[in-house]
Amino acid sequence: MNWDQIQGKWKQAKGQAQQKWGKLTDDDLDVVDGKREELVGKVQERYGIAKAEAEQQVNDFERSCSC
């Protein structure tokens, strides 16, 4: 699935993102609102990881998302 599709179905994708990154709050995901760079930033912030690692996790999420 590409990111445009995820963004268009963010309400469904949000649940899958919450499962993958349990430290992200509903408020975090509402702020993200389907924006890829926002999600990378939130994952990086909440998990204290490098941007490259957060990018890789979001890439993995994008490939595996079934929303």
Side-chain angles (χ1 to χ4, degrees):
M1 178 166 283
N2 70 40
W3 196 261
D4 289 335
Q5 292 171 310
I6 292 172
Q7 190 171 17
K9 297 180 178 182
W10 184 244
K11 289 191 189 294
Q12 295 92 333
K14 194 166 106 168
Q16 290 182 34
Q18 183 87 51
Q19 286 179 333
K20 180 168 179 71
W21 297 289
K23 290 183 182 179
L24 295 181
T25 66
D26 283 336
D27 288 341
D28 289 337
L29 295 170
D30 287 344
V31 168
V32 167
D33 194 32
K35 295 182 284 286
R36 191 178 192 289
E37 286 304 312
E38 292 283 332
L39 180 58
V40 170
K42 288 294 182 185
V43 169
Q44 183 180 4
E45 176 185 325
R46 290 284 183 227
Y47 287 87
I49 58 177
K51 183 173 183 172
E53 174 62 24
E55 286 274 358
Q56 184 59 51
Q57 288 186 23
V58 171
N59 287 342
D60 292 345
F61 173 73
E62 184 175 355
R63 280 193 298 279
S64 68
C65 189
S66 62
C67 45

